[in-house]
Amino acid sequence: MNYFNYRGKDLYCEDVALENLAKEFGTPLYVYSGKTILRHYHAFDNAFKSHDHLICYSIKANSNIGILNLLVQAGSGFDIVSKGELYRAMKAGADPSKIVFSGVGKTEDEIEMALIAGILMFNVESEAELYAIDKVAGRLGKKAPISFRVNPDVNPLTHPYISTGLKKNKFGIPHEKIIEAYKRALDLNNIEVVGIDCHIGSQITQLDPFNEAVEKMLNLIEKIESLGINIKYVDLGGGLGITYKDEEPAHPNEYGEAVLKYFKGINKKLIFEPGRVIVGNAGVLLTKVLYKKDTSEKKFIVVDAAMNDLARPALYGSYHSIVPVIKKEGNNVSVDIVGPVCESTDYLAKERTITEPEGGDLLCVMSAGAYGFSMASNYNSRLKPAEILVYNDKYYCIRERDTLEDLVSKENIPQIKVE
Ligand code: LLP
C-alpha cells in the first residue's frame, strides 16, 4: 500500500492532491502522510510482538510535534538527544517513562530536565558523563537510571558519515572498556544501572551488521551480569534503511526475526530507536521550477527548494527520486536540479533524466520525511518551508512557513556609534 499515488495525471498524498496543497500553502513545502507514518510504526511494532519491547522513535529524524503526537497516540516512546527534543516530546504528550536519552554531550541542565521529567533511562556515552549524571542526580535527591552505550566496532556498511559504531567514531564506550564502566557505575550512589545500548549507524540495508552487534551485546551482557548487575533493557538503537532508489533493505519483519532469534527465552525488554524507517518514505518536498538554464556543459533546472530545505544531497550525495506533481508529455532530458543557494553543492539531483519541465511546473522530491525539515536551516536567509500533515482527505498545517520577521526576531542592533 502506497499513499503517494497518481490519480490520472495528478500526484496525491492519501486523498489530497499535492497540487492543491502547493497552491494553498506555496512552495517549497513538506507534505507528510499520517497513514504512512502509522503503517510504518505498526509494521515495526508488529515485528517484535512476540517479545516484550518498546519502540522509541528517534526524534531527530523528524521532530515536528504534530508528527510526534501521532506516534504518541500509536503508543510510541521516544529517543531524544537534547533538551529541545525532550521539550518537543513533552509538548506532543509523550509519556516520559518511555523516553531514552542518547548523545555524547549531554549538559548538566539537560540531565536535570530529564531527571525531573522522569525518563526511562540515559544512554551514557562516556565515564565522564556518568559522573556528571551522578552529580546532578545527587543534587536532586534522585537515582538516575542508566545504560551504557557500547561501541561494538561493527561496520554498518553504510555511508561513512552516518556510521556510528566503528572504533574510530566518537559514539559510545569501546566494547573492551565497557565492563570497567559498569564496575564504576556500581560505586556511585545516585546511579541505577538498568540496561545496555548500542546504535551502529543509519540507512543500514543488510542484516549482518545487526547480527554482529547483537552477538557482541549478548556476550557483554553475560559478563556484566556476572558482576551481579541485572540488565533489564537491551536497547539496539535504530538504523534500519529504506528505499531511496534501488536499495532493498530488510523488511522490519526480517529485521525482527533476525534479532528475536537471539532473545528466545531471554527475559529482557528490547528497545528500538527507529527514525528513518518510520518517517523517511512518509514525506515529500514539493518545489516549483523557477528557471531553466542551459550551458555548454549542462542543463540546469533551478527550483525554489534548496540545500537549506533538504541538505541530504549536498551533505552526503544522497539520491532522492524526483517526479512531476502533474504528469505531462515531453522529451526526456538529463538535468541537474539545483536550488537558489550560493553553493556549488546546492543541488537536489545531478544528471537526472526527467520529462523536461517548464517554469512554474511543480516537482515532488520523494523520501524526504526523514532528516529533511529536521536538518533545514535559514542559510542565505531563506525562509524555512511550511509542513503539512495529510490524514485521509484532511490536511493540517503543522508548521507555518517562516516569515521575514522570524528571520531577525532573535537579533539585536547594538548601541554602537561607529567613529
Ligand atoms: N538512535 C541514535 C542514537 C541515533 O544516533 C540515530 C540516528 C537513530 C537512533 C536513528 O537512526 P535511523 O533509524 O534514523 O537510521 N542525517 C543523516 C542520518 C543521521 C543519523 C543520526 N543518528 C541522513 O540524513 O542520512
Side-chain angles (χ1 to χ4, degrees):
M1 178 69 167
N2 186 345
Y3 290 103
F4 292 93
N5 283 312
Y6 284 100
R7 294 188 187 174
K9 291 186 177 334
D10 298 337
L11 187 56
Y12 273 68
C13 171
E14 302 190 22
D15 296 325
V16 176
L18 290 175
E19 184 190 21
N20 292 344
L21 293 178
K23 276 192 181 141
E24 183 170 343
F25 298 97
T27 52
L29 186 71
Y30 275 101
V31 180
Y32 310 112
S33 156
K35 288 269 178 183
T36 308
I37 293 171
L38 293 170
R39 179 166 58 88
H40 291 167
Y41 174 83
H42 291 304
F44 203 94
D45 194 33
N46 279 331
F48 296 96
K49 64 174 181 292
S50 64
H51 198 101
D52 189 16
H53 70 279
L54 173 66
I55 296 179
C56 292
Y57 164 74
S58 190
I59 290 185
K60 65 177 82 64
N62 186 320
S63 35
N64 187 294
I65 56 175
I67 285 173
L68 301 187
N69 178 263
L70 274 192
L71 290 165
V72 167
Q73 292 187 53
S76 188
F78 296 97
D79 162 50
I80 61 166
V81 290
S82 67
K83 66 179 177 187
E85 288 189 349
L86 176 56
Y87 182 75
R88 284 177 177 279
M90 301 310 284
K91 271 263 168 203
D95 175 350
S97 73
K98 292 184 184 173
I99 293 179
V100 297
F101 194 166
S102 312
V104 294
K106 304 173 190 78
T107 61
E108 288 197 9
D109 68 322
E110 291 180 316
I111 293 166
E112 178 171 325
M113 185 169 159
L115 280 170
I116 291 170
I119 65 165
L120 180 66
M121 68 184 184
F122 293 86
N123 289 335
V124 177
E125 304 218 16
S126 63
E127 280 189 23
E129 183 195 330
L130 177 72
Y131 294 125
I133 295 175
D134 180 61
K135 186 173 112 191
V136 178
R139 194 170 72 219
L140 297 175
K142 291 186 183 287
K143 240 182 166 29
I146 69 117
S147 73
F148 282 108
R149 174 166 174 184
V150 182
N151 181 330
D153 194 24
V154 166
N155 186 350
L157 310 173
T158 183
H159 192 290
Y161 285 9
I162 51 178
S163 74
T164 46
L166 283 173
K167 244 187 197 152
K168 63 177 182 193
N169 297 131
K170 70 177 174 181
F171 299 99
I173 296 177
H175 63 122
E176 64 277 4
K177 293 206 166 144
I178 206 84
I179 301 297
E180 205 47 37
Y182 276 96
K183 282 186 186 154
R184 290 273 148 75
L186 279 184
D187 296 336
L188 299 178
N189 289 331
N190 312 303
I191 294 288
E192 186 195 0
V193 175
V194 293
I196 188 165
D197 163 54
C198 76
H199 168 80
I200 55 174
S202 198
Q203 184 53 13
I204 301 171
T205 54
Q206 300 171 43
L207 290 173
D208 286 351
F210 291 116
N211 283 325
E212 199 184 326
V214 173
E215 283 168 21
K216 289 194 170 171
M217 295 281 274
L218 284 171
N219 201 296
L220 288 173
I221 291 170
E222 209 179 300
K223 291 190 184 137
I224 295 159
E225 293 203 318
S226 72
L227 299 173
I229 296 172
N230 176 24
I231 297 288
K232 275 201 291 194
Y233 305 121
V234 181
D235 182 341
L236 295 173
L240 191 58
I242 63 169
T243 303
Y244 286 97
K245 189 182 181 189
D246 45 19
E247 304 90 334
E248 291 180 355
H251 185 274
N253 279 337
E254 296 171 286
Y255 173 64
E257 270 171 38
V259 169
L260 288 180
K261 69 177 181 284
Y262 293 106
F263 287 92
K264 284 209 182 84
I266 297 186
N267 185 18
K268 302 191 183 307
K269 188 172 193 139
L270 293 172
I271 297 179
F272 299 93
E273 304 170 356
R276 188 189 317 262
V277 72
I278 307 291
V279 290
N281 275 325
V284 298
L285 174 62
L286 301 184
T287 183
K288 193 168 73 188
V289 175
L290 297 175
Y291 306 108
K292 294 200 291 183
K293 185 169 163 171
D294 291 353
T295 66
S296 56
E297 286 280 303
K298 280 186 181 249
K299 266 184 185 310
F300 291 103
I301 304 292
V302 184
V303 297
D304 66 358
M307 64 187 285
N308 73 293
D309 306 301
L310 179 67
R312 303 192 71 256
L315 264 184
Y316 319 113
S318 308
Y319 180 100
H320 285 263
S321 157
I322 299 182
V323 298
V325 169
I326 298 168
K327 267 194 203 159
K328 59 185 223 180
E329 306 291 314
N331 295 333
N332 278 347
V333 283
S334 172
V335 294
D336 279 14
I337 302 175
V338 300
V341 161
C342 303
E343 300 270 351
S344 294
T345 56
D346 179 30
Y347 73 94
L348 297 176
K350 273 201 175 144
E351 284 155 26
R352 190 70 62 84
T353 303
I354 56 169
T355 308
E356 184 158 14
E358 298 304 320
D361 283 2
L362 291 168
L363 298 177
C364 180
V365 184
M366 306 303 288
S367 314
Y371 308 106
F373 189 93
S374 65
M375 296 205 301
S377 78
N378 291 112
Y379 185 43
N380 276 209
S381 286
R382 287 169 51 82
L383 307 177
K384 280 199 229 156
E387 295 176 283
I388 308 297
L389 178 63
V390 174
Y391 195 75
N392 293 322
D393 59 352
K394 303 245 173 351
Y395 54 90
Y396 308 86
C397 180
I398 55 172
R399 188 191 193 274
E400 274 157 41
R401 187 176 304 284
D402 277 357
T403 62
L404 292 171
E405 297 80 68
D406 289 336
L407 277 184
V408 292
S409 65
K410 295 278 192 303
E411 298 176 18
N412 301 304
I413 296 178
Q415 296 296 315
I416 295 173
K417 262 267 170 280
V418 176
E419 290 130 38

